[in-house]
Amino acid sequence: MPQPHHVVIVAFPGIELLDATGPAEVFSVASRVATADRPGYLVRIATPDGGPVTTSSGLRLMADLAFDDVAGPIDTLLVSGAIELVDGGVEPVIDHQVTTWLRRAAPRARRTGSICAGAHLLAAAGLLDGRPATTHWLTAGRLAAEHPDVRVDPDPIFIRDGRMWTCAGVTSGMDMALAMVAEDHGQDLALATARMMVMYVKRSGGQSQFSVPLSVRSSVRGSERNSSDDRIDELRRWIGEHLTEDLSLEALAARTHLSTRHFTRLFHRRTSTTPAAYVEAARLEAARRLLEDTDRSLPEVAAASGLGSVETLHRVFRRRLGTTPAEYRRRF
């Protein structure tokens, strides 16, 4: 009888429960629906000391073994993520016991992956340098800023780069685990597993369709803030209330009584994006809300959001969200 794939899921205090249990359940179901000639999966939870950990939901997760007890080769090594709310923002939790152990354990794993903010732990361990990676959209900017050697893409549900895998928020760990099942055993077993779990075997679009683009915090803090920042913030509020007006670079610069060059520099300093990209994101966000909350036709949505035409509406949805307006409305 073939030996099962050895999966080790790293857990520590404060992790999202589904980061660990979601992939574990995918591997468990795959093992149950696989035929006898295919090796299943043996999933074990490892914590720094082998004791239980309390997750973000307050539920305790029991461990199978301590880090020091993980011996021999590992087929799949996955690290869960944890986030904290600090001063109205989101902070990924970096557990240094975990990062230290990951540096030692990852080289003996056939593949290594992270779920949600677990990517921050892989990056802190130096395992993502020079690689493309993703994480939850809320912390992707933080990952890119703190680890410039990591090529962060905030949109994909998951990314595979050789033996290294990273995925987006929480339930995307299950999508990634399904892709691992497909890699190990073929698409037929992945599809059977997805059917059993009432999941899509592959989700359409990226995680941008689940995010709120305009919730990104301004890039200037506290004592660094000045009157120019206040002027840009006031303009951003005005943009949100006047999406159907002329929001060209020249019109916005004129409204702030600045040259286009100086305005563009100040806007980027405050928001880490360009005026044109911000305006498009604001109009896209308005279109999303209209699709979610009203039954307006697509031409009406395009006009009311400032995107103008159905053609532009489709183009922006495809480029930024990886889906169509009609599919977005159906899903949300």
Side-chain angles (χ1 to χ4, degrees):
M1 186 173 181
Q3 291 297 306
H5 294 277
H6 181 202
V7 180
V8 175
I9 299 178
V10 175
F12 56 93
I15 66 161
E16 299 288 331
L17 179 63
L18 202 59
D19 281 9
T21 58
E25 189 65 14
V26 170
F27 292 129
S28 171
V29 172
S31 298
R32 282 179 270 160
V33 300
T35 54
D37 60 326
R38 288 174 170 173
Y41 296 90
L42 172 63
V43 181
R44 297 194 292 177
I45 303 293
T47 61
D49 62 0
V53 295
T54 301
T55 66
S56 61
S57 66
L59 295 177
R60 293 207 307 167
L61 184 66
M62 303 303 293
D64 297 294
L65 67 175
F67 286 171
D68 290 343
D69 297 328
V70 181
I74 304 167
D75 183 80
T76 303
L77 175 62
L78 299 178
V79 58
S80 308
I83 58 174
E84 293 179 339
L85 298 178
V86 180
D87 296 330
V90 174
E91 301 279 347
V93 176
I94 305 298
D95 188 303
H96 296 291
Q97 285 182 284
V98 173
T99 56
T100 299
W101 184 76
L102 284 172
R103 292 188 192 99
R104 300 198 309 267
R108 55 190 170 97
R110 179 172 70 91
R111 63 185 170 206
T112 299
S114 62
I115 302 97
C116 196
H120 293 264
L121 292 153
L122 291 184
L127 299 173
L128 296 181
D129 288 352
R131 294 180 180 274
T134 194
T135 187
H136 194 289
W137 60 269
L138 272 172
T139 67
R142 179 72 171 265
L143 182 64
E146 293 184 349
H147 300 280
D149 291 335
V150 181
R151 303 197 302 275
V152 179
D153 186 342
D155 188 53
I157 297 297
F158 66 85
I159 289 177
R160 178 196 175 184
D161 182 57
R163 54 188 290 274
M164 197 66 61
W165 300 60
T166 54
C167 70
V170 193
T171 60
S172 61
M174 299 169 73
D175 297 272
M176 185 174 73
L178 271 177
M180 291 176 172
V181 171
E183 178 185 65
D184 296 339
H185 300 294
Q187 191 70 8
D188 58 335
L189 183 59
L191 180 58
T193 303
R195 283 174 173 162
M196 182 71 73
M197 299 186 71
V198 197
M199 289 177 60
Y200 289 108
V201 72
K202 188 177 188 305
R203 276 197 260 184
S204 62
Q207 65 169 323
S208 294
Q209 62 189 296
F210 302 98
S211 68
V212 184
L214 302 183
S215 68
V216 177
R217 299 166 72 190
S218 297
S219 59
V220 178
R221 303 184 188 183
S223 60
E224 301 174 17
R225 183 186 178 97
N226 56 41
S227 60
S228 295
D229 300 326
D230 293 335
R231 193 186 310 183
I232 297 300
D233 286 347
E234 177 58 35
L235 178 67
R236 290 164 67 188
R237 286 189 287 272
W238 182 86
I239 288 172
E241 297 169 357
H242 299 83
L243 293 174
T244 61
E245 298 190 21
D246 179 7
L247 301 181
S248 64
L249 174 61
E250 292 75 17
L252 295 176
R255 185 168 185 82
T256 55
H257 307 291
L258 297 170
S259 68
T260 55
R261 183 176 180 180
H262 188 44
F263 167 69
T264 300
R265 183 177 64 81
L266 290 180
F267 195 93
H268 189 274
R269 174 179 178 271
R270 183 62 175 156
T271 66
S272 299
T273 190
T274 65
Y278 183 87
V279 167
E280 184 176 83
R283 285 171 166 163
L284 174 62
E285 184 68 7
R288 288 166 47 152
R289 296 297 171 250
L290 289 169
L291 290 171
E292 293 168 9
D293 301 335
T294 76
D295 58 0
R296 292 192 188 187
S297 66
L298 293 188
E300 290 174 325
V301 169
S305 64
L307 289 171
S309 68
V310 173
E311 180 183 1
T312 301
L313 182 71
H314 271 269
R315 184 170 64 249
V316 172
F317 265 72
R318 279 290 190 192
R319 176 161 47 80
R320 284 184 171 259
L321 304 184
T323 189
T324 65
E327 175 65 12
Y328 183 88
R329 170 173 269 169
R330 187 185 69 79
R331 292 173 68 90
F332 293 98

